[in-house]
């Protein structure tokens, strides 16, 4: 086990009706906020009115920034930074899923900074200050409600890059599973694939002596696998929705990272897909992760056997370890298909004519390698895209 420091300071407010507390929570930080959200779904569901009423009751002034899209765009981040500066706003409230939260975090980074906020994402600047952010979560998926990460897409070249810093962990996250009842099945499935990917990026490690967090990872995976099957048949099953929502937070608040070194190659490879083709991140991960697994499993076949047996209930009676490992990968792929996700690029309508471009972006034109389980260069990334065809 590696040395580690674990801190997860986000206050979690979980359960039915908790969205009504948003005004009193925000009041602890500010009386003037940027209220950031996506499209019209929070208005159709009635959540928008609840938030507005709670903010007004707490005598909090707010400016709205709507229109956040999946794979959130730098241009809207820059618009939010401008609004905050012009209106002397010192707190960002994100109401939505990961794209809204990531947008809010990037705005929070950019307001106190004199340069272009993109500087942080490309390593030209170090974050020293950020506005506080609060969250009402409506889509369990990215774990951004308690993570130190934000991922933004720059339309100039379609670069999708993540940034990590403890200063952008939200101050609070309000999480009511009832707010997820109206999610379309496809969006629920994409969220589950995203949650699972966050766990698997941590699970496939070269670090030894991590049995406790192995078991945490396996339990989190089993929880979402079992409960998404319930939710897709019974969308208003509160307990199943609650299990998935809490698992999404645990998957990415770094608890499962303690003492381990994760991989993260699959995320980087997928980011190129969603940047160029605007595919849902979870759907892209359902395509890329099985391909990555097929490419690297021989590096540590015993870990893949453990994954197959403990997560996918593969019987140890198979002829050899390789058969067990491959059966685990097959069962995971079949699971993604069964919940309605694409598992090949062809199924997602993505052709093979931009593999080199994406691999170049992913590896800085072949000058750097990605991942930690196995270091992957440009040709490796191209081969994984080919396996995903």
């Amino acid at each position: 086990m590696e040395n580690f420091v674990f801190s997860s300071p986000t206050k979690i407010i979980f359960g039915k009706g908790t969205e009504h507390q948003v005004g009193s929570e925000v009041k602890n930080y500010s009386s003037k906020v940027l209220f950031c959200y996506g499209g019209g779904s929070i208005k159709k569901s009635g959540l928008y009115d609840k938030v507005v009423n709670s903010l007004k009751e707490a005598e909090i002034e707010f400016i709205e920034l709507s229109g956040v899209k999946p794979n959130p765009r730098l241009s809207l981040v820059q618009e939010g930074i401008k609004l905050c500066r012009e209106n002397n706003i010192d707190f960002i409230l994100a109401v939505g899923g990961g794209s809204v939260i990531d947008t809010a975090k990037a705005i929070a980074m950019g307001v106190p900074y004199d340069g272009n906020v993109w500087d942080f994402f490309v390593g030209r600047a170090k974050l020293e200050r950020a506005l506080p952010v609060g969250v009402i979560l409506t889509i369990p998926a990215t774990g951004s409600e308690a993570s130190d990460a934000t991922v933004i897409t720059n339309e100039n070249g379609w670069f999708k890059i993540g940034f990590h810093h403890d200063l952008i962990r939200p101050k609070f996250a309000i999480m009511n599973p009832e707010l997820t009842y109206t999610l379309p099945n496809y969006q629920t499935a994409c969220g589950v694939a995203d949650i699972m990917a966050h766990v698997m990026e941590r699970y496939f490690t070269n670090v030894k002596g991590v049995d406790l967090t192995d078991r945490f990872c396996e339990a989190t995976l089993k929880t979402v696998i079992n409960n998404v099957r319930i939710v897709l048949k019974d969308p208003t099953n509160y307990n199943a929705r609650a299990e998935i929502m809490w698992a999404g937070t645990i998957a990415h608040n770094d608890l499962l990272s303690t003492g381990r070194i994760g991989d993260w190659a699959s995320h980087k490879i997928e980011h190129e897909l969603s940047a160029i083709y605007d595919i849902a991140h979870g759907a892209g991960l359902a395509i890329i992760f099985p391909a990555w697994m097929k490419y690297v499993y021989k590096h540590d076949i015993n870990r893949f056997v453990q994954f197959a047996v403990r997560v996918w209930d593969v019987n140890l009676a198979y002829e050899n370890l390789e058969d067990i490992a491959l059966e685990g990968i097959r069962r995971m792929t079949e699971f993604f298909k069964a919940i309605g996700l694409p598992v090949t690029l062809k199924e997602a309508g993505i052709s093979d004519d931009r593999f080199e471009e994406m691999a170049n972006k992913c590896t800085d034109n072949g000058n750097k390698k990605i991942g930690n389980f196995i270091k992957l260069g440009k040709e490796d990334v191209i081969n994984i895209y080919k396996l995903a065809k």
Side-chain angles (χ1 to χ4, degrees), residues 199 203 211 213-223 225 256 303 306-307 310-311:
V199 179
Y203 189 78
D211 190 53
T213 44
D214 274 355
R215 297 289 186 174
F216 286 168
C217 289
E218 292 152 5
T220 307
L221 289 169
K222 294 284 280 186
T223 295
I225 290 165
L256 305 186
R303 178 150 287 275
Q306 178 177 294
F307 174 74
R310 292 185 182 176
V311 177

Side-chain angles (χ1 to χ4, degrees), residues 168-184:
I168 59 173
R169 285 190 196 270
K171 299 298 182 183
F172 65 82
I174 292 172
M175 301 169 59
N176 177 1
E178 294 172 311
L179 300 178
T180 70
Y181 285 175
T182 57
L183 285 176

Side-chain angles (χ1 to χ4, degrees), residues 308-329:
V309 172
R310 292 185 182 176
V311 177
W312 299 106
D313 303 318
V314 178
N315 195 313
L316 280 169
Y318 277 74
E319 277 192 23
N320 56 56
L321 295 181
E322 185 168 4
D323 289 343
I324 297 171
L326 290 173
E327 176 63 12
I329 298 168

Side-chain angles (χ1 to χ4, degrees), residues 225-237 240-241:
I225 290 165
N226 293 338
N227 282 282
V228 72
R229 291 171 173 144
I230 297 170
V231 160
L232 293 180
K233 293 177 182 177
D234 181 9
T236 59
N237 187 306
R241 288 285 189 186

Side-chain angles (χ1 to χ4, degrees), residues 30 46 129-130 138 157 189 213 289 295 315 350 379 382:
S30 177
R129 293 172 55 213
T138 62
T213 44
F289 237 108
Y295 195 73
N315 195 313
I350 295 172
E379 291 305 315
I382 290 172

